[in-house]
Amino acid sequence: MLSFFFIFKHSSNIKANRCQGLLLLSLSLIFLEQVLNFTGLIVNVLPVTNSTAWLNFLIGPLLYLYVKRSLDLPGSKKELINFILPLLYLIYLSFDLIQSNDFKYNSYVLSSHLNLPLHEVHSSISNDPLQVNKYLDPLMAIQIMLYISLSFWRLVKKAGEAGTSVFRTSDDVLRSVRNIIFHMCMIIIIFIIVKTRLHGNAGNYFIGTYVAAFTIITTFRIMKDSTYFDRSGSFMDISIGKYRKSSLTDAGKEKILNNILFEFETRQYFSENLASLSDLSKRIGECPHHVSQVLNEKLNKSFFELLATYRVELAKKILSEDIKNKLIIEEISEMVGYNSKTAFNNAFKKLTGKTPSEFRKSINP
């Protein structure tokens, strides 16, 4: 149910939520099969045995894409390469899926260490012709750890651009991404411990309970808070409700908002290439936590989104006034506060649907 809302609920961060929803859906289906195994109900639906094994290879890629979308990093068709391994294993899994129900029943009994009689089976095709399955657990762990590392690298790089620390940031987006990466690390640690210390699938109890706790908490939050999807957050972020405990009054919020708008609109703070949430907070004499809260509640934007909005608007103005095209895109990028042309192009296209060059051509045909 929760994954359905993340996938289909329209919000400002819908692309990130869709990746998150697909990640949660994959985990849900994996654990559903485990529940069927633990309860013995799998014998009533033997055709689905091992049908979700390939979804384990989707966890890492979906986490990584969620991080990229949350941090407003550019996407491309090349990202499809992340799904090659899950697709290949799904194809290989067909050797297992075509086996008879008697074969699958025996697999269930043996994997669950049950003292039950086995069925007689005659199979001309091996369910694991390349002997891949015996390396499945370490392969999954390595793949997910690789994507966790890539996600954390992206996060650190983005935090550095914002002039803040990953571990002490007050930005909602950075905090939310950091938390889901942390908890995915914990899942891998639990996975490694239980696979090396426990036999069979007993360790899945711990992993399932860990994930279920977060999904249940998040489900209740969504039921109680109609504005949940208006903020940036993950289903593994237990600090999403922090603003309700804030000491800020309505008058205090308005004062902070006015100071922010003064810095952006009068002093054009956004055009500074070292602009950051922490630096802005120092300028207006407020803590980053309160500034971040006001941006989210009053403008429904993170600091990064507000920065990009003002920078792109200024760039559009410059492009419109530069009729003779004397300025190159790199110069305009620096004028509005970006340190790289790529970051400028990505932000401009996200907000306008066009690159700066395409926008220039549209106003100067």
Side-chain angles (χ1 to χ4, degrees), residues 96-108:
D96 193 290
L97 298 178
I98 64 174
Q99 301 297 324
S100 66
N101 284 345
D102 287 330
F103 182 95
K104 294 177 180 179
Y105 173 82
N106 290 347
S107 296
Y108 160 65

Side-chain angles (χ1 to χ4, degrees), residues 35 39 50 64 116 129-130 191 206 213-214 316 336:
V35 169
T39 59
N50 293 330
Y64 179 61
L116 295 173
L130 301 179
F191 178 82
F206 299 100
F214 287 101
K316 288 166 62 177
V336 300

Side-chain angles (χ1 to χ4, degrees), residues 39-209:
T39 59
L41 294 174
I42 193 72
V43 298
N44 298 316
V45 283
L46 286 171
V48 305
T49 302
N50 293 330
S51 61
T52 62
W54 70 282
L55 295 175
N56 288 285
F57 290 107
L58 279 180
I59 295 174
L62 289 173
L63 169 67
Y64 179 61
L65 293 181
Y66 164 73
V67 170
K68 287 190 66 177
R69 298 293 182 270
S70 296
L71 299 178
D72 285 335
L73 298 175
S76 67
K77 293 182 179 179
K78 293 181 180 179
E79 289 178 338
L80 294 175
I81 196 173
N82 294 291
F83 298 102
I84 290 180
L85 183 57
L87 179 60
L88 289 176
Y89 188 69
L90 175 60
I91 295 173
Y92 183 76
L93 199 61
S94 61
F95 289 106
D96 193 290
L97 298 178
I98 64 174
Q99 301 297 324
S100 66
N101 284 345
D102 287 330
F103 182 95
K104 294 177 180 179
Y105 173 82
N106 290 347
S107 296
Y108 160 65
V109 170
L110 293 172
S111 64
S112 301
H113 302 283
L114 301 175
N115 188 22
L116 295 173
L118 300 177
H119 293 178
E120 185 177 350
V121 175
H122 300 286
S123 178
S124 58
I125 301 176
S126 172
N127 71 312
D128 187 15
L130 301 179
Q131 299 298 303
V132 170
N133 291 338
K134 62 182 179 180
Y135 303 109
L136 202 56
D137 287 342
L139 184 59
M140 287 190 300
I142 291 172
Q143 187 229 25
I144 295 176
M145 285 191 293
L146 174 62
Y147 278 106
I148 288 176
S149 300
L150 286 172
S151 300
F152 187 70
W153 173 71
R154 292 284 191 180
L155 175 62
V156 170
K157 188 175 180 182
K158 189 71 173 181
E161 293 175 358
T164 186
S165 166
V166 170
F167 302 102
R168 295 183 179 180
T169 181
S170 297
D171 186 271
D172 287 344
V173 176
L174 296 180
R175 189 204 68 247
S176 180
V177 170
R178 178 200 64 199
N179 287 354
I180 194 172
I181 292 175
F182 169 79
H183 291 299
M184 290 303 296
C185 283
M186 291 301 299
I187 290 175
I188 287 298
I189 291 173
I190 295 172
F191 178 82
I192 293 173
I193 292 174
V194 298
K195 288 299 180 181
T196 55
R197 297 295 181 90
L198 301 177
H199 297 290
N201 296 321
N204 292 329
Y205 278 119
F206 299 100
I207 300 174
T209 302

Side-chain angles (χ1 to χ4, degrees), residues 222-236:
I222 292 175
M223 292 170 65
K224 293 173 62 177
D225 186 0
S226 61
T227 64
Y228 180 91
F229 290 98
D230 293 331
R231 301 187 297 266
S232 298
S234 75
F235 72 95
M236 284 188 165

